[in-house]
Amino acid sequence: MVNEWGEEVSSTIPCERALTVYVDKRELVTLMTLGGHPELLVLGYLRNQRLVQSVHDIESITVDWEVGAAAVRTRNGIERIEERTARRVVTTGCGQGSVFGGIMDDVDRIVLAPATLTQEQLYGIVNAIRIQDSIYKVAGSVHGCALFRGDAMQVFIEDVGRHNAIDSIAGWMWMNAVTGDDKVFYTTGRLTSEMVIKSAQMGIPIVVSRSGITEMGLAVAQRVGLCAIGRATHKRFLCYSAPERLQRQPELAGARLRAVA
């Protein structure tokens, strides 16, 4: 590789793999992933697509990278799987995410816990991400997502698409019997409708992004009472929805710079 000064340099490039998911021998979807947590990714994908209701619905997940496949065996099959997976929507997620068409059908049934976050804890989350060792710092080209309780990080996962990272966290939550009631979800990517819906389905009432939010993402957040905070870098942020969940401490933001006349 050649840099801006015309020098030959070495660099690290993340590996992107195709993982085709089969459920009870039926091909479901192909996910493009770094491949760091394939079992959690597959489990979380099935959870966030609402194809399984409990981790106990899954008998086994077997990943074979030689053929790039993940074989899922369920205990009792998935009811109406052909009908429920017939319509697929390609999302704005990098790595070309996709969701099945009925993902919004049950949004109005979601009831989120009355959790709150202090501004001090928000700054703690931003700082924890800043000092976190990551593939992004070495190579770029990936998104990172994390689950927090207050400003204490519970898990951090990177993947080529933020939708894969959140699905892997959903799988981790199920495997460790972790609920979302008092948790905060962080993503380096923008808060699209897909990301907001998945967070709400995971029972997480507060999401934070260093990027912004889309119009549909905001509409969904407002609809379910989810607190969406974006543009969160250093001590700056924008609270887009459910501001009552954010316990504001403006004195922590520091002095505001004023233009000189």
Side-chain angles (χ1 to χ4, degrees):
M1 286 170 279
V2 177
N3 66 14
E4 60 271 30
W5 293 289
E7 301 167 337
E8 289 193 4
V9 296
S10 61
S11 182
T12 301
I13 299 176
C15 177
E16 184 178 9
R17 298 176 171 184
L19 183 66
T20 301
V21 180
Y22 296 85
V23 178
D24 296 326
K25 299 183 179 180
R26 180 186 186 277
E27 183 176 340
L28 181 65
V29 68
T30 296
L31 305 173
M32 301 305 297
T33 176
L34 287 178
H37 308 275
E39 293 86 1
L40 295 181
L41 170 59
V42 172
L43 179 60
Y45 182 84
L46 295 174
R47 173 185 179 174
N48 281 337
Q49 298 297 327
R50 299 180 300 111
L51 295 175
V52 294
Q53 301 302 314
S54 167
V55 66
H56 303 294
D57 293 338
I58 304 298
E59 183 174 308
S60 65
I61 299 175
T62 304
V63 175
D64 185 346
W65 283 116
E66 288 190 6
V67 295
V72 181
R73 293 181 59 184
T74 66
R75 297 189 186 281
N76 300 299
I78 296 177
E79 185 179 359
R80 300 183 295 107
I81 186 170
E82 292 83 3
E83 175 188 340
R84 294 164 66 184
T85 59
R87 185 163 60 95
R88 184 174 298 170
V89 177
V90 177
T91 72
T92 58
C94 46
Q96 194 168 352
S98 65
V99 298
F100 297 117
I103 195 171
M104 290 249 334
D105 293 349
D106 296 329
V107 165
D108 290 332
R109 300 180 186 177
I110 296 174
V111 178
L112 298 174
T116 60
L117 183 73
T118 68
Q119 190 164 331
E120 182 177 17
Q121 289 172 323
L122 173 59
Y123 289 157
I125 289 172
V126 172
N127 187 60
I129 295 296
R130 182 184 65 81
I131 64 176
Q132 172 70 31
D133 287 336
S134 65
I135 296 171
Y136 180 82
K137 289 180 180 178
V138 176
S141 307
V142 300
H143 275 297
C145 292
L147 189 71
F148 286 85
R149 186 173 185 269
D151 55 6
M153 186 184 294
Q154 310 296 295
V155 62
F156 176 83
I157 290 179
E158 290 178 294
D159 212 319
V160 290
R162 59 187 183 274
H163 52 280
N164 283 350
I166 191 174
D167 285 345
S168 297
I169 288 177
W172 179 89
M173 290 172 68
W174 256 6
M175 288 300 295
N176 292 278
V178 172
T179 65
D181 293 353
D182 59 346
K183 304 302 187 299
V184 179
F185 173 74
Y186 177 93
T187 177
T188 57
R190 60 194 178 276
L191 297 173
T192 62
S193 57
E194 177 189 12
M195 296 298 285
V196 172
I197 291 170
K198 287 183 176 183
S199 298
Q201 287 180 160
M202 292 155 64
I204 300 172
I206 302 169
V207 298
V208 179
S209 170
R210 75 178 179 197
S211 187
I213 194 168
T214 66
E215 183 179 15
M216 187 175 291
L218 176 58
V220 175
Q222 292 172 331
R223 189 165 159 183
V224 300
L226 179 145
C227 180
I229 300 170
R231 311 299 294 274
T233 57
H234 304 291
K235 293 194 173 183
R236 295 186 176 184
F237 63 87
L238 291 173
C239 182
Y240 296 106
S241 59
E244 67 277 4
R245 291 187 181 273
L246 179 62
Q247 297 178 14
R248 280 158 280 181
Q249 299 165 285
E251 67 277 6
L252 298 180
R256 180 178 297 178
L257 296 177
R258 299 184 183 277
V260 178

